Amino acid sequence: NAESGKQWYQRRVRAGMQDFNFKDLETITEYQNGYHAEHPVIKLFWEMFHEMDLNTKKRFLIFLTGSDRIPIHGIHSIKIIIQKVKDNTRLPVAHTCFNVLDLPPYPNKEIMKEKLLTAILNTEGFGLV
């Protein structure tokens, strides 16, 4: 019994899309305040991100967007921005309404990982019930 297009759409809206490629997240991200795709801090960020397990990546999505689900139209319908902030003693900050990550220029991957994991593992999203 084939699922109708309407049934598929309704199921996706209720559940959110969960089958996505996290590499796509990297390709759609934009950068501000001196960061760019080839910036050393951004390269460290994506290297560290892609090493995370699936659960931690979903927690990052909650931290950044308020949800661990991808919109019905796919990850390419999200606009994500990573912007440089000066104080590298602070934790990264996410502005969930705008999908903006304030990422300080941490001097190495270990410090970045510690700060980012502290931030993302101590947050709650806006999950729908």
Side-chain angles (χ1 to χ4, degrees):
N1 189 359
E3 182 177 49
S4 75
K6 182 178 179 181
Q7 289 169 326
W8 178 89
Y9 183 81
Q10 288 173 338
R11 183 172 51 82
R12 290 296 192 176
V13 168
R14 281 193 309 271
M17 292 185 69
Q18 294 182 308
D19 52 342
F20 49 90
N21 179 349
F22 280 101
K23 285 279 190 186
D24 290 343
L25 194 64
E26 184 175 352
T27 63
I28 63 155
T29 299
E30 297 176 13
Y31 306 96
Q32 293 181 349
N33 297 344
Y35 279 157
H36 51 83
E38 298 301 316
H39 192 284
V41 170
I42 297 302
K43 286 183 158 288
L44 278 179
F45 171 81
W46 288 115
E47 180 183 322
M48 182 202 60
F49 178 83
H50 293 303
E51 291 171 356
M52 292 177 182
D53 63 36
L54 179 61
N55 185 54
T56 306
K57 288 176 181 176
K58 287 184 173 188
R59 292 293 302 259
F60 174 78
L61 281 180
I62 292 170
F63 175 69
L64 183 60
T65 69
S67 175
D68 66 348
R69 311 278 194 222
I70 296 299
I72 185 70
H73 297 294
I75 201 163
H76 293 283
S77 65
I78 301 175
K79 181 178 180 179
I80 293 174
I81 297 170
I82 298 177
Q83 63 184 10
K84 185 178 185 179
V85 292
K86 293 182 182 192
D87 189 353
N88 68 0
T89 64
R90 301 185 77 117
L91 294 175
V93 173
H95 306 276
T96 55
C97 293
F98 304 104
N99 300 337
V100 173
L101 176 65
D102 290 348
L103 183 66
Y106 299 117
N108 60 55
K109 190 167 130 181
E110 292 75 28
I111 292 173
M112 181 184 294
K113 183 175 184 177
E114 174 191 340
K115 300 275 190 178
L116 189 62
L117 288 177
T118 298
I120 67 175
L121 296 177
N122 291 290
T123 190
E124 295 295 327
F126 303 111
L128 300 175
V129 178

